[in-house]
Amino acid sequence: MELFSRDHQPLHHFDVTLPDSAEVLRHEVRAFLAKELADGSFVPQCDAWIAGFSPEFSMKLGQQRWLGMSWPRKYGGHERSALDRFVVTEELLAAGAPVAAHWIADRQTGPLLLRYGTEEQRLRFLPAIARGECYFAIGMSEPDAGSDLAAIRSSARRVEGGWHLQGRKIWTSWAHQAQYLLVLCRTSPPGKDRHVGMSQMIVELASPGVSTQPIISISGQHHFNEVIFDDVFVPDEMVLGQIDHGWEQVMGELAFERSGPERSLSTFPLLVELMRQLGPQPDERAAEAVGRLVSRLWTLRRMSLAVAHLLNSGIVPDVEAALVKDQGTRFEREVAEVTRTLLPSAPVLDAPDQLNALLAQALLTAPSYTLRGGASEILRGIVARGLEQS
Ligand SMILES: Cc1cc2nc3c(=O)[nH]c(=O)nc-3n(C[C@H](O)[C@H](O)[C@H](O)COP(=O)(O)OP(=O)(O)OC[C@H]3O[C@@H](n4cnc5c(N)ncnc54)[C@H](O)[C@@H]3O)c2cc1C
């Protein structure tokens, strides 16, 4: 499937087939997850990649060599392909396994360190991430800078041996549990082009001057935070990439953040449970509704797989990633909506019935799917501009 072309050249083909080796791997992951489930190490959950924080489970995945999968061996990686990684992440998400602890570090911080990090930074962080022991949070959004990320006000000023950081971040998932936060901040005042003058810094969350305030979500969970920097010293060796060129780096990071199968599988455990309870002979209305969802999921999966392949080829597929995220997160919401119309009882979070509990989880988190990682309107703007340039 061809998406679009730039400069009149056919660009990216959305046509990737998984090799047999990836399918062998899929069976290994399924066997591992079936055993973990049988041993009671987790209960399948909607949105588990953001809500299910379990250092024990992340370390088990590290021992299986399923973190840092495509990174070089010298940095603790396993030199597998992006398609192998895709299969592992897909199976973990489908099972609703608790993968939030390592997710951000494995998905986006690691690849960013590989691209922009110093040798010292790579050797320090990547092996620990691949072991499932080192967790990063994302320090982009601020109270007045979400969709308009270039409006950030957190800033760092030069001091001897490093930088002094001042400001605040908001909606920072797991900043109270992660060891590090990758902060986007201003290092020069905005000029004519306000995208110039930003930098990325690795901030140790236990540093003096960093404080973390919880924000409790509608479901009663604490995964969000507000993080405040009060003259935090960041040594030079914790600057990631080039000073004042953080914007390009962040755009690359967002392609990793937006493109994965988690952008269509957050409610997959609910869909599976719905099908299980409907049984092999659902009524016509249910069969049609579920059939529509599954056929859409299949298309989304091919698109997501193709984006993984492009990332692996060193391309930054920002337009494609935006398209897949917009479509995938709409799908995730619809799974909750369709289930709600088919289920006779009102959903309750601690319901003993698994379908009912999963639906409650999905309905309470659904509004966030199309916001986090970039709101849909913003993503559509990126796609529209990409089409204009073609
Ligand atoms: C579950 C969750 C986890 C998150 N985790 C993190 C995290 O770990 N780290 C982090 O940095 N951030 C995180 N975020 C923040 C997230 O990136 C922002 O919520 C998102 O970028 C939107 O920004 P905002 O909330 O400020 O909304 P706003 O930017 O205020 O947008 C509000 C609404 O206005 C619309 N809008 C805004 N501008 C335009 C425009 N120009 N044209 C058309 N419509 C527009 C938006 O589409 C949206 O519908 C998280 C958010 C959620 C929901």
Side-chain angles (χ1 to χ4, degrees), residues 50 104 138-142 145-148 170-173 223-224 368 371-378:
I50 212 161
I104 288 163
I138 305 169
M140 296 187 198
S141 307
E142 295 187 6
S147 300
D148 185 12
I170 199 167
W171 315 124
T172 323
S173 305
H223 92 261
F224 279 144
S368 75
L371 267 176
R372 61 191 185 197
S376 292
E377 292 78 2
I378 303 306

Side-chain angles (χ1 to χ4, degrees), residues 302-314:
R302 284 190 63 185
M303 291 165 77
S304 185
L305 193 54
V307 171
H309 181 64
L310 293 176
L311 279 168
N312 194 42
S313 327

Side-chain angles (χ1 to χ4, degrees), residues 8-22:
H8 310 292
Q9 296 294 317
L11 185 65
H12 305 141
H13 292 266
F14 269 25
D15 199 5
V16 178
T17 311
L18 285 170
D20 290 346
S21 60

